């Protein structure tokens, strides 16, 4: 959009937007200095979308932010309180004292007026939880009230309520509580003593649960405007689309006409829209400024819904960007599924962006992951390894990570090769989802086969037991003809283990029997043990057997059985001779 097509008002908004974007690249100290020195500091502060203002505050530091906070709009104040003074749906009274004090230091009289006019219910609930009020009758002695009461008119007496024994306030929260109440009372009395008297008198008659419920209702309305809907509603974002829902519910309506909102897109929406080359190319093909801005607003709203579903307050751009990358990953998967193309070109992507809402595209991408999670949950309780009292470690690192990641509230992909401190990350393509489902199917098939082995007591092995050493130990015992207790898994004696290795020609000097012979021998044994056809077994758990014998050949194929140190053998369960 060029300035020649903008009105004077729009040009001012554009100039403020450019300044905001410049602030994004400055350090917290530099940003504060620029904000305070700018000749249009007040309109610049007011031009920040509430989400960006919140992040800016935490980048500069809440305690250094007072001069900027004093200039903030009521909407920006509301957003800070809604984020910082609540934990889920409950007021955080400990944190409230600290944040109220920061507002009092920034603009004391204005914040008192703000509480009276904009947050009356929350203010009354805060006072009720922290202040005890007594009205002195004309013939009553104040000493009868007890210690700690203060008064400004010899009629209304008040004191701080003692904290309950189970109240978990940090030391700084206790100090801020007392200080904030003192500042509030002084400034309220200065504004109007009758108002001071009325507020405390009515507060004493209040029902705190009703006040908190009313305040929560207004908070939810304000947060929903930004996409921060209640967690129980936000999780609907992760529900797969039903048949036909993409067309019936996912189509965009009419694009809104141009207005001032196009200059107040949260920076998160702008960054998400330029998150990778192909998406940026598709965005560049949008044929209207209004459609582009609405897309950016949709992306910011989608990211906020995603954050709300996780139930966390994110206070840094790095955290927000990480959430944005996760969202965009599933948007890209959704676009691929909608178009039926693995790598759709920019024109195809642009068409999808114009036609479908971003939440529907996200659900199209996330739906297969959620279905995979449900598939595991449906199998979980009836799985043989669970019924046998075994933990996820039974499936070793890869299987444990795979199942554990997919069973999270927000399913994630496991990648053991990562070295970033976490092995879990979102699925980024249809290929990764298909690979995950294939790996899950392999585990389920193997679990079904293990259930046919007739074992009843296996949990006594603890974390040492894996599916690999279970199968190989059973095979060794049966091959040696050792007596075994019915339904139990018995570790091998070391000498018997060496004899078994020689018998299957494993290791140097063992006769050099090809690995294929050992696999066929094992498969014939497993077929006899489970009652399944050998060919059917190879078809059902072939990948698992390839992994198992690949490790067996790799670890023991070139070792002399007589030289083995059994303390370091993990593929078989052993006990000293």
């Amino acid at each position: 959009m060029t300035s020649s097509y903008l009105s004077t008002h729009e040009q001012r908004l554009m100039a403020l937007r450019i300044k905001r974007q410049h602030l994004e690249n400055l350090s917290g100290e530099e940003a504060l200095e620029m904000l305070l020195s700018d000749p249009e500091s007040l309109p610049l502060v007011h031009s920040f979308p509430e989400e960006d203002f919140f992040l800016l505050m935490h980048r500069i530091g809440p305690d250094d932010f007072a001069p900027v906070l004093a200039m903030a709009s009521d909407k920006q104040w509301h957003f800070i309180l809604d984020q910082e003074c609540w934990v889920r749906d409950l007021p955080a009274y400990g944190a409230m004292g600290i944040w109220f004090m920061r507002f009092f230091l920034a603009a004391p009289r204005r914040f008192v007026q703000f509480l009276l006019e904009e947050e009356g219910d929350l203010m009354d609930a805060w006072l009720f939880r922290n202040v005890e009020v007594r009205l002195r009758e004309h013939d009553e002695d104040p000493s009868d009230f007890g210690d700690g009461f203060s008064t400004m008119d010899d009629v209304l007496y008040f004191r701080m309520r003692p904290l309950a024994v189970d109240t978990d306030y940090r030391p700084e929260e206790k100090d801020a509580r007392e200080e904030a109440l003192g500042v509030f009372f002084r400034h309220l009395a200065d504004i109007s003593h009758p108002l001071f008297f009325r507020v405390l008198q009515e507060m004493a008659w209040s029902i705190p649960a009703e006040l908190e419920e009313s305040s929560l209702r207004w908070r939810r309305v304000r947060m929903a405007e930004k996409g921060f809907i209640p967690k129980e509603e936000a999780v609907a974002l992760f529900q797969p689309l039903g048949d036909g829902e993409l067309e019936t519910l996912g189509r965009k309506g009419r694009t809104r006409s141009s207005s001032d909102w196009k200059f107040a897109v949260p920076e998160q929406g702008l960054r998400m829209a330029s998150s990778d080359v192909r998406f940026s190319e598709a965005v560049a093909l949008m044929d209207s400024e209004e459609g582009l801005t609405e897309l950016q607003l949709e992306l910011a709203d989608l990211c906020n819904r995603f954050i709300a579903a996780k139930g966390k307050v994110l206070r840094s751009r790095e955290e927000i960007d990480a959430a944005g990358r996760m969202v965009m990953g599933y948007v890209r998967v959704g676009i691929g599924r909608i178009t039926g193309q693995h790598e759709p070109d920019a024109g195809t992507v642009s068409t999808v962006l114009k036609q479908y809402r971003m939440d529907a595209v996200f659900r199209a991408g996330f739906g297969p992951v959620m279905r995979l999670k449900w598939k595991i949950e449906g199998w979980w309780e009836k799985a043989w390894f669970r019924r046998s009292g075994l933990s996820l470690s039974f499936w070793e690192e890869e299987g444990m990570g795979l199942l554990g990641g997919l069973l999270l509230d927000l399913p994630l992909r496991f990648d053991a090769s990562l070295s970033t401190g976490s092995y879990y990350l979102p699925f980024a393509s249809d290929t990764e989802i298909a690979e995950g489902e294939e790996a899950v199917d392999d585990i389920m098939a193997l679990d079904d086969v293990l259930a046919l082995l007739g074992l009843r007591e296996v949990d006594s092995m603890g974390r040492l037991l894996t599916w690999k050493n279970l199968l190989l130990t059973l095979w060794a015992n049966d091959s040696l003809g050792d007596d075994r207790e019915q339904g139990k898994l018995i570790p091998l004696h070391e000498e018997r283990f060496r004899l078994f290795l020689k018998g299957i020609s494993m290791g140097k000097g063992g006769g050099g029997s090809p690995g294929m012979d050992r696999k066929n021998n094992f498969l014939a044994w497993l077929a006899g043990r489970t009652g399944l056809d050998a060919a059917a077994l190879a078809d059902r758990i072939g990948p698992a057997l390839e992994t198992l014998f690949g490790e067996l050949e790799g670890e023991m194929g070139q070792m002399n059985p007589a030289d083995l140190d059994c303390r370091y053998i993990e593929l078989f369960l052993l006990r000293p001779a």
Side-chain angles (χ1 to χ4, degrees):
M1 179 183 295
T2 61
S3 59
S4 60
Y5 294 102
L6 298 177
S7 67
T8 302
H9 175 61
E10 289 176 329
Q11 288 181 30
R12 287 192 63 198
L13 294 177
M14 176 66 80
L16 292 172
R17 176 173 169 177
I18 292 171
K19 288 182 180 180
R20 294 198 309 269
Q21 291 173 338
H22 177 61
L23 282 167
E24 286 289 315
N25 300 317
L26 301 179
S27 67
E29 185 177 348
E30 292 170 336
L32 179 60
E33 183 179 350
M34 178 180 166
L35 276 169
L36 298 180
S37 62
D38 191 282
E40 293 188 312
S41 56
L42 184 63
L44 177 57
V45 168
H46 284 193
S47 74
F48 274 89
E50 287 83 2
E51 304 99 307
D52 292 345
F53 187 76
F54 180 75
L55 295 178
L56 177 67
M57 177 186 69
H58 280 286
R59 183 154 60 91
I60 291 174
D63 294 326
D64 297 325
F65 201 62
V68 183
L69 196 60
M71 293 186 283
S73 67
D74 285 356
K75 285 187 175 182
Q76 290 167 334
W77 278 13
H78 271 304
F79 190 80
I80 292 171
L81 294 180
D82 288 340
Q83 288 283 63
E84 297 291 358
C85 296
W86 294 79
V87 176
R88 297 183 179 87
D89 288 341
L90 297 175
Y93 290 109
M96 207 174 288
I98 290 177
W99 284 97
F100 279 17
M101 198 61 225
R102 286 173 175 150
F103 280 97
F104 285 135
L105 290 173
R109 289 179 67 87
R110 181 188 161 199
F111 187 61
V112 171
Q113 288 290 155
F114 174 82
L115 289 176
L116 290 168
E117 297 170 9
E118 299 286 337
E119 288 280 11
D121 290 333
L122 186 64
M123 178 193 72
D124 286 342
W126 174 62
L127 291 173
F128 188 92
R129 298 294 187 188
N130 289 288
V131 181
E132 181 181 355
V133 174
R134 298 289 294 271
L135 293 175
R136 187 178 74 85
E137 302 294 340
H138 69 280
D139 58 349
E140 196 170 15
D141 191 329
S143 62
D144 295 338
F145 296 158
D147 298 333
F149 277 92
S150 302
T151 184
M152 293 184 180
D153 55 12
D154 200 30
V155 176
L156 189 144
Y157 286 76
F158 57 90
R159 71 176 178 184
M160 285 181 55
R161 292 184 188 272
L163 288 173
V165 177
D166 60 347
T167 301
D168 187 22
Y169 277 25
R170 303 193 308 271
E172 60 269 27
E173 291 176 335
K174 294 178 182 179
D175 295 340
R177 168 181 180 251
E178 184 172 355
E179 190 176 3
L181 286 167
V183 173
F184 175 79
F185 289 144
R186 286 196 302 273
H187 285 282
L188 180 60
D190 286 345
I191 292 171
S192 169
H193 187 80
L195 181 61
F196 166 81
F197 188 93
R198 180 83 175 263
V199 167
L200 288 190
Q201 184 183 40
E202 291 182 354
M203 178 275 298
W205 306 332
S206 300
I207 301 174
E210 292 184 0
L211 293 171
E212 292 170 355
E213 181 65 29
S214 175
S215 184
L216 173 63
R217 186 164 57 250
W218 285 110
R219 173 183 180 260
R220 283 183 167 180
V221 170
R222 291 189 298 267
M223 296 296 283
E225 292 176 353
K226 304 294 179 184
F228 293 99
I229 58 180
K231 182 177 181 180
E232 61 272 16
E233 297 177 23
V235 294
L237 183 64
F238 304 124
Q239 299 302 303
L241 290 170
D243 292 339
E245 278 192 335
L246 180 66
E247 296 299 326
T248 57
L249 302 178
R251 287 275 183 178
K252 282 187 176 181
R254 187 175 179 180
T255 301
R256 290 179 288 181
S257 60
S258 174
S259 187
D260 292 352
W261 53 265
K262 66 188 174 187
F263 299 103
V265 178
E267 286 298 315
Q268 180 57 25
L270 300 174
R271 289 195 297 273
M272 290 172 69
S274 57
S275 57
D276 65 33
V277 174
R278 179 152 303 178
F279 202 86
S280 299
E281 291 174 349
V283 169
L285 296 175
M286 302 289 285
D287 53 14
S288 72
E289 187 72 19
E290 291 76 19
L292 172 60
T293 304
E294 187 148 356
L295 171 66
Q296 293 165 343
L297 287 169
E298 276 192 87
L299 289 172
D301 181 82
L302 179 60
C303 187
N304 289 343
R305 286 180 64 185
F306 181 85
I307 294 168
K310 296 179 73 174
K312 294 181 178 180
V313 176
L314 304 186
R315 296 178 174 87
S316 73
R317 190 172 72 179
E318 292 73 23
E319 292 177 309
I320 297 289
D321 284 346
R325 285 192 295 272
M326 293 182 72
V327 170
M328 290 306 298
Y330 289 112
V331 167
R332 284 190 289 271
V333 174
I335 291 172
R337 295 184 71 85
I338 290 170
T339 61
Q341 300 176 24
H342 181 62
E343 291 287 346
D345 59 43
T348 304
V349 173
S350 183
T351 300
V352 172
L353 299 181
K354 294 173 187 176
Q355 292 181 347
Y356 297 102
R357 299 200 328 259
M358 285 299 96
D359 60 337
V361 176
F362 176 90
R363 289 176 63 190
F366 195 85
V369 179
M370 187 57 72
R371 289 192 180 95
L372 183 54
K373 171 184 168 68
W374 292 343
K375 181 177 182 177
I376 296 172
E377 289 176 340
W379 162 79
W380 185 253
E381 292 303 324
K382 61 184 180 183
W384 171 82
F385 90 100
R386 288 280 295 168
R387 290 185 284 109
S388 299
L390 301 174
S391 67
L392 277 176
S393 61
F394 176 73
W395 300 109
E396 296 198 312
E397 181 185 39
E398 285 289 345
M400 179 173 64
L402 171 72
L403 296 176
L406 287 168
L407 286 169
L408 294 171
D409 290 338
L410 178 62
L412 294 172
R413 179 173 68 88
F414 176 77
D415 187 343
S417 66
L418 295 178
S419 57
T420 57
S422 173
Y423 295 110
Y424 294 96
L425 67 168
F427 290 86
S429 68
D430 253 343
T431 300
E432 291 179 352
I433 297 173
E435 289 173 350
E437 184 159 19
E438 184 178 352
V440 167
D441 288 341
D442 288 344
I443 289 176
M444 291 181 177
L446 186 55
D447 187 84
D448 289 342
V449 171
L450 295 177
L452 300 175
L453 294 174
L455 294 173
R456 292 196 308 273
E457 297 181 26
V458 292
D459 57 334
S460 61
M461 303 296 173
R463 292 183 178 272
L464 291 175
L465 184 64
T466 69
W467 68 271
K468 294 174 183 175
N469 59 32
L470 181 150
L471 284 172
L472 291 177
T473 301
L474 278 179
W475 178 40
N477 270 321
D478 285 4
S479 297
L480 292 168
D482 288 350
D483 292 331
R484 64 178 186 274
E485 297 181 48
Q486 188 65 31
K488 288 187 177 182
L489 178 65
I490 308 297
L492 288 160
H493 285 293
E494 291 181 9
E495 292 304 318
R496 300 291 288 169
F497 172 58
R498 289 189 174 90
L499 182 61
F500 166 72
L501 293 182
K502 290 181 65 176
I504 61 170
S505 303
M506 175 66 75
K508 290 181 179 180
S513 176
M516 184 60 70
D517 290 348
R518 283 188 282 272
K519 281 192 282 188
N520 289 336
N521 181 301
F522 175 86
L523 193 59
W525 163 80
L526 187 59
R529 179 86 189 216
T530 60
L532 298 175
D533 178 72
L537 269 175
D539 184 57
R540 291 179 67 179
I541 61 171
L545 297 185
E546 289 296 327
T547 299
L548 178 62
F549 274 85
E551 287 190 29
L552 184 63
E553 299 289 338
E555 290 188 18
M556 300 182 183
Q558 297 301 314
M559 296 182 68
N560 192 323
D563 298 332
L564 287 175
D565 188 337
C566 295
R567 293 175 299 172
Y568 303 109
I569 300 299
E570 295 183 354
L571 287 176
F572 292 82
L573 293 169
L574 306 177
R575 52 179 169 165

